[in-house]
């Protein structure tokens, strides 16, 4: 990929990259959080947290009223896993950070809880399938990993309609939890979600966001630490096609000592008005000595008419850290890579597929769930085939 990365090692103010990207008017930690919908005015698109989002298309989800449907949720897992319905406010590891999250909190009804027992070591994933049925609905999911447990939870979002959802993730002391959230609604679906994770002492969370479908998908992932020694790995893959808007927003709040975070998101875009947005906010508080954090976002633009926005922000309130940095790059195919492959007899279309597959492989290889990685490879191949058709049609025009 022919693009220049921007790397920042240290700093003490919030900052962003890219033309026309202003410094936020307030620290990320100072933004409104509330369970009350009334505390969040309906956005007009000029707010910092909404300026990249097509807010006019989200009008129905901003309304403080019950949904027109109840999305279908089917959850199942290995023996010992507890899956039950609980009150939305039973855990409160999540506090809504925007209006849609507050509306979902208010109107989701009951929450679905997935509880991994203390010291359990699951050899098979827990599956949570969420199907939107064509109307407007809200959902709430709670995932709790008991102390010193080991588990994987796969959340698969499908269907049509408009869906606003919250996901609370609690990783107990010494536990290791992998959460894979797959967004693959139909081409006209809308999905706006907030995922909040609390990581316990010496615990590890691997959170993977895979966005393959949906007209508009906006996922906000927030992480904080409940004790020292916590470790968060946040991975993401997205592929936006013509008319799709895929947006990922992350906030890692380092407030405990000796904690780690690593963020790696990669996306590809193809077709007119294909759009991706990635916002990565990391805050290292004054008390968070010994922090080690890095975030990286890369975007591969495959055709004309596509656009990727990438804004990493880093706030550091103490110099007593192990390391902190971020990088962001957006570009097209590297002509030298294509020439190298074509010079060895590989047709151009196949060469492009190999380049894109290699671009994604370092994330796909870390997901650790065979059924997800195989499905992801298949969908990317399908999208690349459509991209080749678009390119061929454009060349003949």
């Amino acid at each position: 990929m022919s693009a220049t990365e921007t790397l920042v090692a240290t700093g003490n103010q919030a900052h962003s990259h890219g033309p026309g990207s202003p410094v936020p008017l307030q620290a990320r930690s100072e933004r409104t959080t509330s369970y009350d919908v009334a505390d969040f005015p309906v956005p007009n698109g000029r707010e910092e947290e909404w300026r990249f989002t097509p807010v006019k298309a989200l009008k129905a989800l901003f309304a403080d009223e019950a949904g027109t449907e109840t999305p279908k949720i089917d959850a199942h897992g290995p023996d010992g896993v507890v899956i039950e319905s609980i009150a939305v406010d039973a855990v409160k590891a999540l506090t809504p950070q925007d209006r849609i999250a507050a509306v979902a909190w208010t109107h989701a009804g009951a929450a679905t809880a997935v509880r991994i027992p203390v010291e359990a070591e699951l050899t098979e994933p827990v599956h949570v399938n969420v199907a939107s049925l064509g109307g407007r609905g809200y959902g709430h999911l709670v995932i709790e990993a008991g102390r010193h447990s080991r588990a994987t939870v796969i959340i698969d979002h499908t269907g049509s309609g408009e869906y606003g959802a919250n996901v609370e993730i609690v990783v107990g002391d010494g536990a290791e939890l992998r959460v894979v959230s797959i967004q693959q609604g139909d081409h006209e679906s809308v999905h706006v979600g907030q995922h909040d994770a609390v990581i316990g002492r010496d615990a590890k969370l691997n959170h993977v966001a895979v966005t393959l479908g949906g007209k508009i998908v906006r996922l906000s992932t927030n992480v904080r630490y409940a004790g020292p020694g916590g470790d968060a790995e946040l991975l993401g893959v997205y592929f936006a096609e013509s008319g799709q808007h895929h947006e990922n927003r992350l906030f890692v709040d380092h407030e405990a000592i000796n904690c780690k975070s690593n963020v790696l998101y990669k996306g590809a875009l193809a077709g007119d008005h294909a759009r991706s947005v990635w916002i990565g906010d990391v805050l290292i508080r004054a008390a968070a000595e010994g922090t080690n954090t890095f975030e990286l976002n890369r975007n591969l633009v495959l055709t004309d008419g596509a656009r990727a926005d990438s804004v990493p922000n880093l706030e550091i309130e103490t110099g007593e850290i192990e390391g902190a940095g971020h990088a962001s790059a957006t570009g097209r195919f590297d002509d030298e890579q294509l020439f190298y492959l074509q010079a060895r007899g590989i047709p151009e279309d196949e060469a492009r597929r190999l380049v894109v597959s290699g671009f994604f492989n370092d994330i796909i290889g870390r997901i650790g769930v065979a059924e997800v990685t195989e499905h992801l490879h298949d969908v990317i191949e399908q999208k690349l085939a459509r991209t080749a058709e678009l390119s061929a049609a454009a060349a003949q025009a």
Side-chain angles (χ1 to χ4, degrees), residues 74-373:
D74 176 28
H76 58 277
D79 291 343
V81 176
V82 176
I83 299 173
E84 59 184 349
S85 179
I86 62 173
V88 168
D89 61 355
V91 177
K92 282 195 172 182
L94 178 149
T95 306
Q97 297 192 6
D98 61 45
R99 185 175 175 91
I100 294 178
V103 171
W105 179 275
T106 302
H107 297 291
T112 298
V114 175
R115 293 193 165 107
I116 314 300
V118 171
E119 298 183 352
E121 296 194 12
L122 304 187
T123 57
E124 298 293 332
V126 178
H127 291 269
V128 181
N129 300 313
V130 182
S132 297
L133 306 177
R136 185 183 74 258
Y138 300 99
H140 196 100
L141 175 65
V142 176
I143 302 171
E144 291 185 309
R147 180 172 47 84
H148 296 298
S149 63
R150 306 287 183 271
T152 295
V153 178
I154 300 174
I155 313 169
D156 196 1
H157 299 93
T158 59
S160 58
E162 300 167 299
Y163 184 55
N166 294 321
V167 178
E168 299 184 71
I169 303 169
V170 180
V171 189
D173 292 349
E176 293 185 12
L177 176 67
R178 175 182 285 110
V179 175
V180 183
S181 180
I182 306 173
Q183 289 65 240
Q184 52 182 345
D186 71 18
H187 203 74
E188 294 302 314
S189 65
V190 175
H191 178 181
V192 180
Q194 179 177 320
H195 292 200
D196 276 22
V198 179
I199 302 175
R201 184 185 187 98
D202 298 323
K204 181 172 183 177
L205 170 68
N206 181 285
H207 183 280
V208 187
V210 179
T211 302
L212 304 174
K215 182 177 182 179
I216 300 173
V217 178
R218 173 181 153 125
L219 192 64
S220 300
T221 303
N222 309 302
V223 172
R224 67 183 192 273
Y225 300 85
D231 188 351
E233 182 174 60
L234 310 179
L235 306 177
V237 173
Y238 48 92
F239 197 140
E241 295 182 275
S242 181
Q244 292 183 318
H245 177 101
H246 293 170
E247 182 169 345
N248 289 278
R249 293 176 167 267
L250 297 99
F251 177 37
V252 182
D253 188 352
H254 280 277
E255 53 190 337
I257 63 172
N258 300 326
C259 290
K260 300 178 181 178
S261 65
N262 182 61
V263 178
L264 176 59
Y265 271 61
K266 287 191 173 185
L269 301 94
D272 288 340
H273 306 296
R275 181 78 185 274
S276 72
V277 177
W278 180 88
I279 309 293
D281 293 330
V282 175
L283 169 63
I284 303 175
R285 296 180 184 267
E289 297 181 358
T291 293
N292 194 339
T293 179
F294 192 82
E295 57 177 351
L296 171 62
N297 175 232
R298 284 184 171 176
N299 298 288
L300 190 57
V301 180
L302 303 177
T303 67
D304 293 334
R307 174 180 171 181
D309 287 291
S310 180
V311 185
N313 296 306
L314 179 61
E315 301 175 58
I316 304 176
E317 297 178 351
T318 176
E320 300 299 323
I321 60 176
E322 292 294 322
H326 59 215
S328 173
T330 299
R332 294 183 177 273
F333 275 113
D334 189 324
D335 291 336
E336 291 185 1
Q337 289 180 328
L338 290 178
F339 177 79
Y340 177 86
L341 294 171
Q342 289 180 270
R344 280 147 182 80
I346 300 175
E348 181 179 354
D349 287 350
E350 181 62 23
R352 288 179 178 273
R353 292 183 184 184
L354 288 173
V355 171
V356 175
S357 295
F359 173 72
F360 282 125
N361 269 344
D362 61 338
I363 292 184
I364 294 175
R366 298 192 204 184
I367 292 176
V369 182
E371 62 193 271
V372 175
T373 58

Side-chain angles (χ1 to χ4, degrees), residues 46-63:
R46 293 190 295 273
E47 301 85 358
E48 175 62 28
E49 60 268 38
W50 292 102
R51 66 188 180 95
F52 292 110
T53 310
V55 294
K56 291 182 180 180
L58 303 180
K59 181 179 179 181
L61 289 175
F62 289 134

